[in-house]
Amino acid sequence: MPVLLIDFDGTITKRNEFPNIGELNDGAIESIKLLQSKGCICCLWTCRHGKTLEMAKQFLENKGLIMDGYNTSPFDDHIPGGRKPIADVYIDDASYQNKIRKEPIDWYKITNDILTYYNL
């Protein structure tokens, strides 16, 4: 099953308001839950750590979402000393499409693309 690494600020939330928690992005929670129900491994991958990571984790849990990992990938054990996690898909507001082309995160499109590509 595909491993998805998902950013928090500006991706799950509408804007990057670090260290605060911003407003939830439309469809983010529902989309991640759907992807998980189809077998995707969804891990939060964020620059947040310590207290700010716990804030994000608690925010998601209060919305009923338990991620499959936090700042980790299921493959991390297989890369001694590696810093870049292995995943099939990275969902991040800092991507080319979002920054250069100015396309906002669209969770409905992202979810459809992943389900279609992996035939889930």
Side-chain angles (χ1 to χ4, degrees):
M1 283 296 131
V3 174
L4 315 179
L5 293 186
I6 304 167
D7 183 38
F8 185 77
D9 296 290
T11 301
I12 291 177
T13 64
K14 287 185 179 182
R15 288 172 296 286
N16 185 342
E17 297 185 21
F18 180 85
N20 299 315
I21 303 289
E23 182 182 350
L24 186 62
N25 208 338
D26 297 334
I29 299 295
E30 299 83 0
S31 293
I32 296 168
K33 285 181 175 182
L34 175 62
L35 291 165
Q36 286 177 320
S37 76
K38 298 291 187 176
C40 295
I41 299 168
C42 298
C43 300
L44 190 69
W45 184 254
T46 176
C47 290
R48 289 176 176 262
H49 66 280
K51 181 182 176 185
T52 59
L53 177 59
E54 287 303 315
M55 289 170 54
K57 184 177 177 180
Q58 188 63 51
F59 175 80
L60 296 174
E61 288 178 1
N62 288 344
K63 302 289 183 189
L65 177 61
I66 307 294
M67 300 297 282
D68 297 303
Y70 298 88
N71 284 344
T72 187
S73 157
F75 304 111
D76 285 351
D77 292 343
H78 305 293
I79 317 167
R83 295 184 325 157
K84 186 171 183 175
I86 295 173
D88 298 294
V89 177
Y90 298 84
I91 303 171
D92 193 318
D93 65 314
S95 72
Y96 165 81
Q97 188 150 3
N98 300 317
K99 289 294 184 189
I100 304 299
R101 295 181 66 191
K102 305 292 186 201
E103 294 179 10
I105 293 288
D106 181 340
W107 276 100
Y108 303 107
K109 182 176 182 337
I110 289 168
T111 302
N112 185 61
D113 288 349
I114 292 169
L115 293 175
T116 302
Y117 182 82
Y118 289 101
N119 198 29
L120 300 174

